[in-house]
Amino acid sequence: MASAKEHVEEIRRMKFSIGGETNPLTEDLHQAVKNLSAELYAKDVHVLMELIQNAEDNEYPEGVDPTLEFVITSKDITNTGAPATLLVFNNERGFSPKNVESICSVGRSTKKGLRKRGYIGEKGIGFKSVFLITSQPYIFSNGYKIRFNEKPCQQCNVGYIVPEWVEEDPTLFDIQSVYGLSTALPTTTLVLPLKSEKVKPVKDQLSTIHPEVLLFLSKIKRLSVREDNDDPRLNTVSAISISSEKNFVTLKSMDAEENVFSILKFIQYLGAHYIPSTDFVNQIKQGKWVRTSQGYMTPNNSVLSSNEWKAASQISKIPFIDKDYYGEEILSFKKELERLGVIVNFDESCYQLVSDNLKSSSSLTSLSSEAMLLLLRCIKKLRSSDKLVQAVKNKKCVKTNLGFRRPSECFLVTSEAKWGCLLHVFGSFPILDANFYGHSIFSMDKELKKIGVMVDFEDAAKEFTSIFKQQASASSIRKENVFSFLECYRKLKKKFPEELKKCIREEKWLKTKLGDYKRPNECLLFCSDWNAFLKRDDGPFIDEQFYGSRIKSYREELNHLGVITGINKGCQVIASYLNSQSNFEKINRLYNYLSEFKWEPADDDDDKKIWLPRGADNGEWVSPQDCVLHDKNNLFGGLLYVLDKYKYERKILGFFADIFNVKFHPSVDDYCNLWKKWEASGNQITHSECCAFWEFVVKNWNLKTEETFNQSFSKLPVSSSSSDGIFLSDKRDVFIGDDLFLTDLFQSCSRPTFVWYPQPSSKTLTRTKLVDIFNKLGVRTISESAQKTLSDVDQLKLAPISSKEKFRKKGLVKLILGFLADPNLNLETERRHEAVSRMLGLEAFETADPMIVKYSLSLSCGDVVTVEDKRMIRWDKQNSKLFVQKREEGGCQKSRIEHADHFGEVIAEGMLWENEEVMPQLSELIRLGYLVEFDEEAIDFLMKKKNLQIFVDDRQYLCSIFSS
C-alpha cells in the first residue's frame, strides 16, 4: 500500500498531469474550479458553523467523546506572513485516501447522503468554505500533510484543489507547541493562515459561539475556543470550554430558562428589525430544549396552554410548556413560540396530538361532556382512530341515566327514535344522558357506534331480546313490563326485527289461569263467546285476575303476537292441553268444543289420545287405534276399548270417528287378531262366539280379505260331540266331511276332526258358504284326502261265474256309452269303445267272504290314521278280473242298495281311472241302473232324464256286441 506522500504524488500526476502525461480533463477541472470560486464568494457562509457542522458529520472511534477545539494564534507557524493563524483540532477517525481524493475534487464528497441521517451542514460548499478566510489551508491527518492554494498551480493552472506535500512551515512540532506539549495531537488538524481582513471577523465569530450550540449537535460532546499569544494580555477572544455531560446539564438545570428567553428575545429582535431568522429557527427548532409537563420536548411537540385545551388535558397527556417553570412571561412570546413550531391554538391539526399523547385507558373513566365530545371529534377527524376506540370501549366513560357505563352497554336514543320506548320496558337499559352532553351528541352517532354505543333499532332490539329471554326464563316479567311492552308494540305498529319477533313468540312470558307462563301461541284470551263451551280454567287462558281487565284492550297486539283471540281459532291449543286432564266433565267440554269447531289434528300428530273414564276424576288415556265405537256381539272386550260402553254422547262418538279415525266396528284385522288370540289361548270358544265370528267372515269375504284370512288363520273350529264348546285345531288336520260314508268311518276314531258347522244352520251362515270358505282356507275334503287300499282276494275261495250274469248287460253298456259320449268329456269313439271292451273282457269270480278295503289319512305331525270297511265288489285291473261277493237271494233292501253302490263305484272307477273327477256321476248312474237290473226301457228313461244319448257309431258298436 502506497504511503500518504506517494498517494498525494499520484493524485498530482494522474489527475493534474504534474510530472506526467497531460490529462485531457485538466482544462475542464480549471473551468469547474472557476465556477466553484464564483459560487463560494456568492454565499453568506458562517465559516465557523460550517467547520462545526463538518465535525458533526465526521465519524469517531468507539469510546471517544467527539471533541472540537478552535485555537487562534498570532504566531505565523506557516511562514506565510499571515497576521494570525486559526488551528482546528478534531479527534475524528481521520482522513482516508478516499477522503483526500474527494477533497481534491469539485462537487464530490464522501459525506453525501448524510443529511438524510440527521446532518445539517452546507454540503455544496463543505471544506472549501475555508477559502473565505484563508488562501492556503493545511490538513494534517493520518500521515497526510498537505496544503491547498486558491491561486492556480503553475504546473497545471488549477487552484483550490491541487494538493501540495508539506515538509515544514509548519512542522508537527510547530503545531504541537501551539496545542500544548503535554497532550497528544488529535487525529486531524486544520491550519488556516488567516487573510488580514478576516482576522477580526473570525475572532468575532469565535467570541459569539454560545454553549447553546450543543443543543443542536448530536455527536460533539466537547467544544472549546481559546486564543494563544505569548502575551495573554493581547488575547481578545473569549475563551469557552463546554461539555454536554457537565456544563450543559448544569445549564439546563440552572439557567436554561434564561437561555430560552434569550432565544425568544433574539427571534423577537430579528423579527422587529426584519432580519431573516429562518436559518436560525430551523437550526434550533429540532432540539429538545423546551421544558413541558411531559419533559423536555422539541418546540413543534410543545403546546402553549390555554382554556381551549382544557378538554384535551382531561384525556391526553398534552406536553404543555411549563408555566410554573418559565412564569407568566412566557405568554408574551406567543408569536415567537409559534414561529418555532410551538402549538398555540387548538385546531383540527391538533386531533392527532391528542391521540398520540392519549392517557392510559384506566384514566379515561367518568369523562366530562367536553372531554367525551372532543374524543368523538378526534375519532371523526382522524384517518386512523383505532387507538382512541380501543382505549375507551371497555371503560365506564359514558354518562347515562344509570350513571357512567361502558360504551357497549349504552344506547343513543334521539327524540325521533320511536323504538326508544322498548328500552323503558324493563328500565334496565343505560341511555346516553342528552342533558349532560347537549344536543350535539346526536350528531356523533357514527363515532359513538365505533366505540360500541348502540345507536340503531336493530342493536337495541338485539339487547332487548337478550334481556327479555333472561327475564322470561326466570318467570320474572311483571304485568307492568307486559303492558309497557304491548304499548311500545302498538306504537311501533308491530314492526319488529325478525330476531325479536322470534324471541317474543317463542319465550314463555304470558301468565295463564293454569298458573304457569306460556308462549303467546299457547295462550287464549277469554271473552263471553267462550262461555257456551268452556270455563276459564278449562284451558291456558291469559290470567285476567293477574293482569286485570286492561289486558283485553291489547287484543289486537296480542293476536298479532300469536295469542288466540277468536273462539274458532283455539282448537290446536285446546287439543294440546287435552291429554293433561283427568276430570271427565272438563274433558267432555273440551271434546265438545273441538267437535263444534271441526278440529283436525296434524297428520304427524302421534299424541292423539282418548280418555276412558273410571269415575269422575279417574281413568286412562288410550290410543284411538285401540278403540272401536261399537261391538254388538261383545267379542272384543279384552282386545279393544269399546267406546259406546262409556258415557260419551253420540256427537262425541262421531267426533272420535271423524277426527281420531276410530272404527265404528271391528275391522278385518281386528277379527284376525281376535282369532289369533283365541288360537293362542288353547281354550274353547262358545257356539255364539263362533257363529258371530264366522258370520263376519262370510259377510266380509272377498278376494282382498281372502289372503288376509288365509295368512291369519292357522287353526279352524272343529265339532265335538263330547263338549258344548268349540275347539280350534290345526287346519292341516281338519277335514270337510263331503263323503258321509268316509266321515262316519273316520269319526269312529279320535284323531281326524271335521270342521264345525252351526247347528242348526242359519240364513246368514249356511253350510254351503262355510264349505266354500273352508276350502279356500286350505281345508281338504275327506274324500280327496283319504287313501284307499284293497286287500288281496283269497284265490282258493273263488268260483267262476258268467259275466253275462253280472255285467254283460245291454242296458249297462248302453248307459255307459251314453255317459261317455258327453261332449264335455271329449272322449273319441275309439276310446269310448276301448273302455267298454275292458269291462266286457273281465273274468268274473264269486266269493262267499266280503273283501276288505282300508282308508288312510296322513296328518301334519307325520302320523297316519287308518280305518277299514268291507266291500262286495272289486276290479283287478292288472289281471282283468272282477270279484263279486255272493249275495243271498231275497236279501234285505239295505244289502241290495249296498251292492248296487259298490258295483257302480267299482265299474265307474275301472272305466274312468283317467277322469277321476267325473267318476261319482257315472257311479251314480250305474247305481240307479243296477237297482232296475239295467232294464232297457228303464235305462232309456233314465238316459232321457239325464240328457244322455248314444251316437251312430256307439249304436253300431252296441249291436255288434249283442247281435245275438
Side-chain angles (χ1 to χ4, degrees), residues 870-882:
K870 297 177 180 179
R871 304 294 287 176
M872 295 181 175
I873 300 173
R874 176 185 172 188
W875 184 338
D876 184 354
K877 297 182 182 68
Q878 185 176 2
N879 297 306
S880 298
K881 292 180 180 181
L882 183 69

Side-chain angles (χ1 to χ4, degrees), residues 545-576:
Q545 187 175 356
F546 176 77
Y547 291 110
S549 59
R550 180 186 173 189
I551 194 69
K552 293 183 178 179
S553 66
Y554 294 100
R555 178 186 181 93
E556 182 181 347
E557 287 72 29
L558 289 168
N559 180 61
H560 195 268
L561 290 171
V563 174
I564 290 85
T565 58
I567 189 172
N568 60 336
K569 303 292 184 181
C571 288
Q572 200 59 46
V573 171
I574 291 297
S576 65

Side-chain angles (χ1 to χ4, degrees), residues 557-611:
E557 287 72 29
L558 289 168
N559 180 61
H560 195 268
L561 290 171
V563 174
I564 290 85
T565 58
I567 189 172
N568 60 336
K569 303 292 184 181
C571 288
Q572 200 59 46
V573 171
I574 291 297
S576 65
Y577 173 66
L578 187 63
N579 291 353
S580 63
Q581 302 305 304
S582 60
N583 180 271
F584 180 69
E585 289 186 5
K586 180 183 290 189
I587 292 172
N588 203 39
R589 287 196 297 270
L590 296 177
Y591 277 143
N592 187 56
Y593 167 80
L594 295 174
S595 173
E596 178 68 23
F597 292 99
K598 306 294 188 292
W599 172 62
E600 293 184 6
D603 293 337
D604 57 351
D605 190 355
D606 296 329
D607 198 33
K608 293 182 290 188
K609 301 289 184 181
I610 292 177
W611 178 252

Side-chain angles (χ1 to χ4, degrees), residues 315-319 352-359 387:
I315 62 175
S316 185
K317 295 183 291 185
I318 303 296
Q352 189 62 54
L353 178 67
V354 173
S355 177
D356 292 343
N357 294 280
L358 194 68
K359 290 182 179 180
K387 178 181 178 182

